[in-house]
Amino acid sequence: MISIFRAFNPLNVLWLAIVLFLSRVGYLFHVPATLKFIFVEPFARLLVPVAYEYAFSPVLNILLAAVLVFIQALLLNYLINFYNLLGKPTFLPALMYVTLSGLFAPFLILSAPLICNFLVIWMLFKLFSLYKGDDAKSTVYDLGMIVALGSLIYFPFIYLFLVIWIALVLFKPFNWREWIAGVLGYVTVFFFLAVFYYLNDHLPVFYKIWRPLGTKFPDHISINSYNYVLLIPIVAILVLCFFKLQQNFFKSYVQIRKSFQLLFFIFLIAAFSFYVNASFHLNHFLLCIAPAAVFFAYFFLYATRKWFYESLFLLLLISVICFQFNNF
């Protein structure tokens, strides 16, 4: 399977669709009677004055989520090949994205984090363009607006604002106007939200939007113990990936090295921003899928022992499929 996706072949789109189907078909046997889809945060609910939470049947919900994942995988693959982050054109980022997005049952349904992954990929396009851009102020302003938009959909997305400043540190010499431009972009969106609150007589409660930022970081997370089993191959591949990156780190171009550093920070920030939500939901970690898929793709592209990397991916794929066919 890995050998097929290592090559940049348009026919791999068909294989990608097959992997997408295999990693989701099992969940259809245990699909709940109803699935709730929350598109925006409660404080932005006024912007969507229609009842949409149960607009889709469970099966349609899963199918639409699969279509979104498929589109996101192709967009991410185009992004990585466009900036040549892996050194050669390949379909591995798309394969890894589809595989990782099928890890857990909450990943398989429509959710705010899944929608926000479009914004993550959009941000990556703009962030990587900072390296060679002459005037970054307009790009950073756009990035601030994207983060604000993501915050309306899924509030923990607000922490990805830190990624903008990290990218400026990595890619650009210090310019205070560029740092302020991101803040202005973010404030622009929430200014119009404040106007909307005012017109609807809700302005006195506008400040409550940022209350979750004061939430104490939890001491522990309650996760089904069976999910830890599925994380074993994930952690193993990540560790191998970082070893491979370390071996080739100084052999890469400066832009490539800094881009992987940025992806690592995105992964960490997205992972640790879960605590902002009042209740923990596993689908939050969908925000980590895009950078993780790039790391996975890097390892599988440059791994040398075919029997090892093919067996490792097969183990991961089989684990995902088995968990979809079992309702633990």
Side-chain angles (χ1 to χ4, degrees):
M1 183 69 72
I2 296 298
S3 299
I4 295 174
F5 283 89
R6 275 186 167 187
F8 189 75
N9 188 335
L11 291 178
N12 286 340
V13 175
L14 178 60
W15 285 108
L16 189 67
I18 294 173
V19 174
L20 181 74
F21 174 78
L22 290 176
S23 62
R24 281 155 174 77
V25 64
Y27 185 61
L28 294 174
F29 290 88
H30 305 287
V31 64
T34 58
L35 286 175
K36 190 176 182 180
F37 171 42
I38 303 297
F39 177 68
V40 293
E41 288 289 344
F43 64 80
R45 189 64 178 83
L46 290 172
L47 300 174
V48 189
V50 293
Y52 67 88
E53 287 83 356
Y54 297 99
F56 305 115
S57 66
V59 174
L60 182 58
N61 186 304
I62 297 171
L63 291 177
L64 287 175
V67 171
L68 294 184
V69 166
F70 190 75
I71 296 172
Q72 290 169 355
L74 294 179
L75 288 174
L76 180 66
N77 201 81
Y78 172 77
L79 166 70
I80 301 306
N81 288 327
F82 181 81
Y83 286 102
N84 197 29
L85 292 191
L86 299 182
K88 60 183 74 173
T90 176
F91 253 95
L92 283 176
L95 174 64
M96 297 303 142
Y97 188 90
V98 165
T99 306
L100 292 175
S101 63
L103 281 177
F104 306 112
F107 285 15
L108 305 179
I109 61 178
L110 289 173
S111 63
L114 179 62
I115 302 299
C116 282
N117 268 351
F118 280 109
L119 301 180
V120 172
I121 296 171
W122 190 10
M123 285 185 68
L124 288 175
F125 269 103
K126 289 186 171 294
L127 289 168
F128 292 150
S129 70
L130 289 175
Y131 185 78
K132 293 185 177 179
D134 296 327
D135 185 9
K137 290 190 292 294
S138 60
T139 301
V140 174
Y141 181 85
D142 292 342
L143 285 166
M145 294 186 70
I146 294 172
V147 174
L149 179 61
S151 303
L152 298 179
I153 298 172
Y154 186 61
F155 191 66
F157 198 86
I158 190 174
Y159 276 103
L160 288 184
F161 187 88
L162 298 175
V163 173
I164 302 175
W165 285 344
I166 292 173
L168 288 175
V169 171
L170 291 173
F171 294 150
K172 308 290 291 184
F174 179 77
N175 184 332
W176 67 270
R177 293 179 180 85
E178 294 172 352
W179 286 62
I180 296 299
V183 177
L184 293 177
Y186 189 91
V187 170
T188 299
V189 172
F190 274 86
F191 170 77
F192 285 107
L193 181 64
V195 172
F196 190 81
Y197 264 58
Y198 172 76
L199 295 175
N200 288 272
D201 297 323
H202 286 78
L203 192 59
V205 298
F206 184 73
Y207 74 96
K208 294 182 179 180
I209 292 175
W210 289 276
R211 275 187 174 178
L213 294 177
T215 304
K216 183 180 178 181
F217 198 83
D219 297 326
H220 67 280
I221 308 172
S222 298
I223 301 179
N224 189 323
S225 58
Y226 287 105
N227 291 331
Y228 289 109
V229 177
L230 193 53
L231 288 176
I232 294 175
I234 299 297
V235 174
I237 296 173
L238 272 178
V239 171
L240 291 171
C241 168
F242 291 137
F243 273 114
K244 183 64 68 173
L245 275 170
Q246 185 183 27
Q247 292 174 2
N248 300 332
F249 189 73
F250 292 105
K251 300 177 183 178
S252 306
Y253 292 110
V254 174
Q255 181 180 4
I256 304 302
R257 297 203 300 264
K258 292 186 174 183
S259 297
F260 273 100
Q261 289 173 344
L262 181 63
L263 287 170
F264 179 70
F265 282 115
I266 293 174
F267 180 84
L268 289 182
I269 292 171
F272 287 104
S273 62
F274 69 90
Y275 79 97
V276 176
N277 263 3
S279 57
F280 172 75
H281 296 287
L282 200 60
N283 60 14
H284 167 85
F285 296 105
L286 277 169
L287 295 178
C288 304
I289 297 299
V294 181
F295 290 132
F296 276 47
Y298 186 90
F299 166 72
F300 283 108
L301 183 62
Y302 289 101
T304 54
R305 298 180 181 179
K306 183 175 181 179
W307 67 268
F308 178 72
Y309 64 72
E310 290 285 3
S311 301
L312 192 58
F313 178 74
L314 188 60
L315 173 64
L316 174 61
L317 186 60
I318 291 175
S319 300
V320 170
I321 295 173
C322 287
F323 269 69
Q324 299 307 325
F325 273 96
N326 290 276
N327 188 18
F328 293 111

